[in-house]
C-alpha cells in the first residue's frame, strides 16, 4: 500500500486532522470520542506534554474508530516511542536529517513540516510524497499554498496552523492540498472545561465543510 493510499484510508471522506494538545489521558479519551462522533476520526496528539504518549496509548486502546497519531515529533527517538504507544501516523513541525531518516524507516505514514519551497523540495528529494505546511496562515494562507504547489511538482500538501471553518474551503481549493490540520475543534479551553458536546459540534462543522469543499459545493 502506498503512502498516498495510507493517507486516504486513514482520513476517510472528511480529510481534516484535528491537532490536539492534551496532558490528561482521561480527557484525551473523552476528546477523541467526541471527535470520532463528530466525523473526524483521525486525531493527532502532539508530543507537547510528559503524558502525551500515555494519551496516545489510551486512545489507541479505548476509542473504537479513532485513528490516533503522534504530532510535534522533533527527535528521531520519538518515532519509535510513538509507534510503541500505538500511533498510526506521524507528524513533525520541521525536518532534520536524523528525523527524516527515522520517519522514512518507519512503516507509518509521515507528514514532515515545511515552511518554504526549499524545505518542501528537500523533503520531496528525501522521498516524502506529502508534507505539512506550517504555520499555514502566518505564511500567507491559501495564496501561499497555491504558490507553493506551483513549484513543488506532485508533492501533496496539508496546511496546518490557523485553519478553521471560514478558510477550509479556500484551502481545499488549492492544488495538491489533500488534507488540512486544525486545532479549532479541540481548543484548549474546551478540553480544560470538558465541553465535549461543543467539540463534537465543531468536528461536525469541519467535517461537513470538508465534504462540501471536496464536492465543489458552495459554503
Amino acid at each position: 500500500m502506498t503512502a498516498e493510499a495510507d493517507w486516504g484510508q486513514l482520513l476517510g471522506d472528511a480529510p481534516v486532522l484535528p491537532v490536539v494538545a492534551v496532558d490528561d489521558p482521561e480527557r484525551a479519551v473523552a476528546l477523541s470520542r467526541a471527535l470520532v462522533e463528530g466525523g473526524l476520526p483521525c486525531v493527532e496528539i502532539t508530543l507537547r506534554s510528559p503524558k502525551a504518549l500515555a494519551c496516545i496509548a489510551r486512545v489507541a486502546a479505548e476509542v473504537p474508530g479513532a485513528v490516533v497519531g503522534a504530532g510535534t515529533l522533533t527527535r528521531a527517538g520519538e518515532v519509535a516511542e510513538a509507534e510503541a504507544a500505538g500511533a498510526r501516523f506521524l507528524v513533525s513541525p520541521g525536518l532534520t536529517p536524523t528525523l527524516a531518516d527515522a520517519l522514512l524507516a518507519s512503516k507509518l505514514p509521515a507528514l514532515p513540516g515545511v515552511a518554504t519551497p526549499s524545505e518542501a523540495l528537500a523533503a520531496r528529494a528525501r522521498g516524502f510524497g506529502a508534507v505539512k505546511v506550517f504555520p499555514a496562515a502566518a505564511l500567507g494562507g491559501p495564496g501561499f499554498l497555491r504558490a507553493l504547489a506551483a513549484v513543488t511538482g506532485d508533492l501533496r500538501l496539508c496546511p496546518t496552523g490557523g485553519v478553521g471553518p471560514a478558510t477550509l474551503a479556500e484551502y481545499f481549493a488549492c492544488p495538491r492540498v489533500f488534507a488540512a490540520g486544525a486545532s479549532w475543534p479541540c481548543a484548549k479551553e474546551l478540553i480544560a472545561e470538558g465541553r465535549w458536546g461543543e467539540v463534537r459540534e465543531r468536528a461536525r462543522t469541519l467535517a461537513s465543510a470538508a465534504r462540501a469543499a471536496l464536492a465543489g459545493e458552495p459554503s
Side-chain angles (χ1 to χ4, degrees):
M1 185 164 55
T2 66
E4 184 166 349
D6 282 343
W7 285 113
Q9 291 187 18
L10 291 176
L11 290 161
D13 66 348
V16 177
L17 188 59
V19 181
V20 178
V22 60
D23 60 2
D24 178 351
E26 293 291 339
R27 290 182 183 273
V29 167
L31 174 71
S32 298
R33 283 179 178 147
L35 290 169
V36 171
E37 290 167 1
L40 298 181
C42 240
V43 182
E44 175 192 336
I45 295 180
T46 61
L47 301 189
R48 298 182 186 179
S49 80
K51 295 183 180 179
L53 290 170
C55 290
I56 291 171
R58 286 283 301 276
V59 172
E62 298 180 25
V63 185
V67 180
V68 63
T72 320
L73 295 167
T74 59
R75 297 182 294 104
E78 291 172 338
V79 172
E81 293 172 350
E83 289 178 335
R88 293 176 59 185
F89 62 90
L90 309 168
V91 185
S92 72
L95 195 62
T96 66
T98 55
L99 181 56
D101 290 341
L103 291 173
L104 290 168
S106 172
K107 295 181 180 180
L108 300 180
L111 275 181
V114 303
T116 68
S118 293
E119 292 174 357
L121 291 173
R124 188 182 70 167
R126 286 301 311 269
F128 293 98
V131 294
K132 176 177 85 167
V133 182
F134 175 81
L139 290 169
F144 177 76
L145 267 291
R146 288 191 292 271
L148 186 64
V151 297
T152 53
D154 60 355
L155 189 67
R156 298 196 304 154
L157 309 174
C158 176
T160 303
V163 178
T167 57
L168 191 65
E170 193 174 358
Y171 277 113
F172 275 121
C174 297
R176 310 306 299 170
V177 168
F178 74 100
S183 59
W184 178 76
C186 38
K188 62 181 180 180
E189 64 271 16
L190 302 183
I191 298 173
E193 297 169 15
R195 290 154 57 186
W196 311 129
E198 189 167 346
V199 170
R200 187 181 305 109
E201 289 309 309
R202 288 193 179 196
R204 284 178 179 153
T205 296
L206 279 187
S208 295
R211 292 188 192 104
L214 292 172
E217 300 172 3
S219 58

